[in-house]
Amino acid sequence: VSANTIYNGIDEYERILVMIKDEYIFDLFTIRDSSSHIYDWVQHRLDAITLGGTGSSCSDTAGNSNGYEQLTQVQCFTTSGSTITSESHSSTNGGIKTFIIQQSGDKVLKAYAPGPDDITSHPLYLIRRTATNSQFSTIHSLNNGDSSYSVSSYSVLTGSPTSNLYSARIQSGSFNDDLIINRGSPISVT
């Protein structure tokens, strides 16, 4: 999906979602522009979030307008350019495990925001990055306790926001997938 005119000053705004084998969803979000912007990639959850990865504490309030003023209990850390894992846990569906490829200097903010009922606060996390061109790539898999079914690691083989070719390796206990995406027109996935 492309929405190149949704924000003034953004030349390209594109998101590709691919469901593979009913086991995981690959999510590639690309933004391009000739000038630098602060980009926030946000994930809301209805249940507890555990963030894993390396980094150090940082100071950031997320902002105090455009909805950010609704965030409470904001925690911030700066990544060291590795994969961050987010796990949510639910007694009814097991939850979701998300792998996020980060760039050095990214800020990760964990906070709480009003949920669907506007009364109960639910956890969220956002990745904040300052750049001209940026790409957020993630894998979402079920977190049902079956290690042969759930994705265990994810790495980018090739890809950049200024290139149309993107490839990644997704691994689990029962499969190894190499995913290649050509972001040209039309988009193709192999």
Side-chain angles (χ1 to χ4, degrees):
V1 174
S2 293
N4 297 340
T5 60
I6 196 158
Y7 293 110
N8 288 333
I10 302 294
D11 295 335
E12 182 179 348
Y13 187 90
E14 176 185 81
R15 189 165 191 186
I16 298 171
L17 295 166
V18 180
M19 179 176 245
I20 308 289
K21 301 179 187 178
D22 291 334
E23 295 186 13
Y24 62 89
I25 296 172
F26 175 77
D27 184 354
L28 181 63
F29 182 46
T30 304
I31 311 111
R32 293 188 207 189
D33 194 55
S34 56
S35 60
S36 184
H37 298 274
I38 296 173
Y39 298 113
D40 286 348
W41 183 86
V42 180
Q43 285 287 300
H44 296 266
R45 296 287 192 251
L46 294 177
D47 39 24
I49 295 175
T50 303
L51 289 176
T54 58
S56 57
S57 294
C58 63
S59 176
D60 200 318
T61 62
N64 48 15
S65 63
N66 298 319
Y68 289 109
E69 70 277 7
Q70 302 296 322
L71 300 182
T72 61
Q73 301 177 49
V74 177
Q75 298 172 335
C76 176
F77 68 94
T78 303
T79 66
S80 60
S82 60
T83 302
I84 290 190
T85 307
S86 160
E87 293 191 48
S88 62
H89 306 278
S90 168
S91 58
T92 56
N93 64 14
I96 297 173
K97 189 173 189 177
T98 302
F99 294 86
I100 312 155
I101 299 294
Q102 295 306 291
Q103 296 177 1
S104 185
D106 283 355
K107 288 185 177 180
V108 178
L109 284 79
K110 181 179 174 184
Y112 289 84
D117 58 10
D118 286 332
I119 298 169
T120 308
S121 286
H122 293 281
L124 66 78
Y125 62 93
L126 70 85
I127 311 303
R128 177 165 285 169
R129 180 179 299 159
T130 302
T132 53
N133 302 310
S134 192
Q135 211 162 41
F136 296 93
S137 66
T138 57
I139 295 288
H140 307 280
S141 72
L142 292 177
N143 189 15
N144 61 4
D146 181 354
S147 62
S148 66
Y149 185 75
S150 181
V151 171
S152 60
S153 70
Y154 165 49
S155 59
V156 174
L157 303 176
T158 59
S160 76
T162 57
S163 168
N164 281 341
L165 187 62
Y166 190 91
S167 64
R169 176 162 290 146
I170 298 97
Q171 297 174 305
S172 89
S174 62
F175 64 83
N176 292 318
D177 288 340
D178 286 337
L179 181 65
I180 301 170
I181 295 178
N182 181 352
R183 295 179 50 247
S185 183
I187 294 170
S188 63
V189 178
T190 50

